[in-house]
Amino acid sequence: LSPLDGRYRAAVSPLADHLSEAGLNRARVEVEVEWIIALTDRSLFETQPLTAEQKDRLRLLYLDFGQAEIDWLAEREAVTRHDVKAVEYLVRDRLAALGLDAIAELTHFACTSEDINSLAYALTVKRAALDVWLPALREVIAKVAALAEEHRDAPMLARTHGQPATPTTMGKELAVFAWRLERVEKQVAASEFLAKFSGATGTWSAHLAADPDADWQAIAREYIEGLGIGFNP
């Protein structure tokens, strides 16, 4: 689709761990699994909190997400024609394999696809930006800044309007780019990553119909913020 898929693939391949169909589906599984854990932790719908061992085994669904899951989802999506629905079926299938059939109905509870996608995209973009892209940018800044220091006294003729003008140094010109990149780094590092988790029309209607006494806005906020994402009401 672009040079990033071709000649520059080697330089950006770490981003594919997050910004790919497989990376997105892994995040979707994570969102579904953590939602089940959030519901059972609160003993909602007469459930009991999972044991630490059960949670660890359940979280392996996304921590060990690999080729087997990718292939499984591809087969199901060819039938469902719906990517998030295929993820839901995957989680249900694995719950049965783990002997957790009793909580299978909590899978995707009161969620619309955009709840899952909103949070999954926020997780993948945040991790790609903060864990992969920013460290690479900071390395570039450090190298440019070091070159600026190294060549701070190296004279060169500057230009304006395409003509020779007053003198400058190679170090000064490099420092300009280092400073500009530092501004970009700060702007990206300060980015907000938000997600909604409020049902099909943003009213928590299905949630309230199932349990009108629960504070679903507070539950959704705590759940989203627990994953390191900002709550978008």
Side-chain angles (χ1 to χ4, degrees):
L1 296 177
S2 78
L4 297 181
D5 299 313
R7 70 176 70 93
Y8 303 132
R9 174 68 179 177
V12 299
S13 58
L15 289 172
D17 290 339
H18 306 290
L19 305 181
S20 62
E21 184 177 46
L24 176 60
N25 278 332
R26 180 177 61 235
R28 285 167 168 160
V29 172
E30 179 179 353
V31 171
E32 298 276 12
V33 164
E34 292 298 334
W35 182 228
I36 291 172
I37 292 174
L39 294 172
T40 54
D41 275 350
R42 294 168 176 79
S43 299
L44 289 165
F45 311 116
E46 300 181 355
T47 61
Q48 297 296 322
L50 301 177
T51 66
E53 180 182 357
Q54 287 174 322
K55 290 180 183 180
D56 288 343
R57 290 166 59 202
L58 194 50
R59 285 177 169 135
L60 287 178
L61 295 187
Y62 62 85
L63 293 174
D64 284 351
F65 188 92
Q67 194 60 51
E69 288 70 33
I70 292 171
D71 294 341
W72 197 100
L73 287 172
E75 292 178 8
R76 294 310 182 282
E77 190 177 339
V79 177
T80 64
R81 300 295 182 183
H82 196 296
D83 45 8
V84 177
K85 181 59 69 174
V87 168
E88 179 188 342
Y89 287 160
L90 172 69
V91 174
R92 284 175 173 268
D93 178 81
R94 298 304 193 262
L95 282 171
L98 292 173
L100 295 173
D101 307 70
I103 60 172
E105 288 304 312
L106 292 181
T107 307
H108 204 72
F109 167 75
C111 293
T112 189
S113 294
E114 187 55 26
D115 290 326
I116 306 303
N117 283 336
S118 177
L119 190 44
Y121 275 112
L123 288 169
T124 55
V125 173
K126 178 181 179 180
R127 290 164 179 170
L130 302 189
D131 298 344
V132 181
W133 192 83
L134 274 181
L137 177 63
R138 287 168 182 147
E139 187 176 342
V140 170
I141 293 171
K143 290 181 177 179
V144 173
L147 285 170
E149 288 286 347
E150 180 183 349
H151 299 290
R152 63 187 300 157
D153 295 323
M156 62 177 286
L157 186 62
R159 289 177 177 270
T160 181
H161 299 80
Q163 302 178 60
T166 53
T168 184
T169 68
M170 185 66 176
K172 178 264 177 183
E173 300 305 321
L174 287 168
V176 167
F177 287 96
W179 187 82
R180 289 174 175 172
L181 291 172
E182 285 174 355
R183 289 185 68 240
V184 173
E185 186 275 335
K186 290 175 183 176
Q187 290 167 354
V188 175
S191 296
E192 280 190 294
F193 301 90
L194 305 178
K196 58 87 70 179
F197 213 79
S198 49
T201 57
T203 59
W204 287 278
S205 298
H207 308 67
L208 289 167
D211 188 343
D213 297 323
D215 187 346
W216 287 108
Q217 290 193 44
I219 291 170
R221 177 186 291 275
E222 185 177 348
Y223 165 61
I224 289 175
E225 292 178 348
L227 293 176
I229 300 299
F231 177 63
N232 185 350

